[in-house]
Structures are given as structure tokens and as C-alpha cells.
């Protein structure tokens, strides 16, 4: 959470709309990195002509992990959207509360 929360952080230069900062979970970032490295290792092994039996097994496992990653990426996007909606509603209530105080104060 930024100091401005529930309001979005100030917009950066060139941005037309402010947006919340979303940081994926450590496990999702680690999975992304692991799959990227595994994919690079697979391509390198394939290029040098490593044993086909091992490559087939490795490719099957790699595809399973990439499917799991896709599911987690979708869940991460859903979580981001839900949390952003909650923050926007909280910011709206905070602004309404501020306007109410100005009128009565």
C-alpha cells in the first residue's frame, strides 16, 4: 500500500490516468522465473541434440507447469481487479466523507 491509499498514487509523467500499483505474489514471480529458465534450458538442450527421451519428459513437465502458470496469472489478474475495485470504493467513501465535513464544518 502506498501512503496515499486508498487513493491511487499520483500519476507519473505522461500518464493520463492514475492507477494502483499491483505487485504479484512472491510465489507467482518465482514460478515465472523458474519457467522462463526451464524453457531456456529446454531450447538449449534441444539445440544441442540432447537425449530425446529426456527432452520428451521435460517438455511434458514444462507444459504442465506453463498451464499452471496460466491459471495463476488469470487468478492474479482477478485478484488485482477485485482489490482495485475495493480501493476505488474506499477512496470514493473517503472523498465523500471529506466533502460532508467541509459542508458541516
Amino acid at each position: 500500500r502506498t501512503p496515499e491509499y486508498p487513493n491511487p498514487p499520483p500519476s507519473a509523467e505522461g500518464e493520463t490516468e492514475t492507477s494502483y500499483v499491483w505487485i504479484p505474489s512472491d510465489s507467482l514471480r518465482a514460478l515465472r522465473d523458474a519457467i522462463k529458465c526451464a524453457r531456456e534450458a529446454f531450447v538449449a538442450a534441444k539445440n544441442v541434440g540432447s537425449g530425446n527421451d529426456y527432452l520428451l519428459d521435460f517438455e511434458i513437465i514444462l507444459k504442465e507447469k506453463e498451464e499452471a502458470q496460466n491459471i495463476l496469472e488469470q487468478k492474479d489478474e482477478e485478484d488485482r481487479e477485485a482489490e482495485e475495485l475495493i480501493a476505488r470504493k474506499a477512496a470514493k467513501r473517503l472523498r465523500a466523507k471529506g466533502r460532508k465535513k467541509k459542508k458541516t464544518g
Side-chain angles (χ1 to χ4, degrees):
R1 293 186 178 190
T2 60
E4 299 84 11
Y5 188 84
N7 294 311
S11 58
E13 265 188 62
E15 282 186 342
T16 56
E17 184 179 324
T18 58
S19 61
Y20 290 93
V21 177
W22 180 257
I23 300 170
S25 69
D26 291 339
S27 57
L28 178 57
R29 286 184 286 162
L31 180 63
R32 286 174 181 162
D33 292 343
I35 289 175
K36 180 182 176 212
C37 290
R39 174 59 64 190
E40 290 169 357
F42 174 76
V43 169
K46 200 171 182 179
N47 288 341
V48 297
S50 294
N52 285 335
D53 292 339
Y54 296 115
L55 283 178
L56 289 174
D57 291 342
F58 187 44
E59 186 173 27
I60 290 168
I61 293 168
L62 187 56
K63 285 183 180 180
E64 288 173 359
K65 300 306 174 193
E66 287 173 333
E67 288 172 8
Q69 179 188 3
N70 289 336
I71 292 168
L72 289 174
E73 294 284 357
Q74 290 174 352
K75 175 73 172 115
D76 184 67
E77 181 63 23
E78 291 168 5
D79 290 349
R80 184 194 63 76
E81 290 173 0
E83 289 296 323
E84 191 169 308
L85 181 63
I86 290 168
R88 288 189 189 282
K89 285 181 180 180
K92 187 175 181 179
R93 284 193 301 272
L94 191 63
R95 284 191 302 273
K97 196 180 214 182
R99 284 192 296 264
K100 191 181 268 188
K101 280 185 181 179
K102 285 181 183 178
K103 287 181 182 178
T104 59

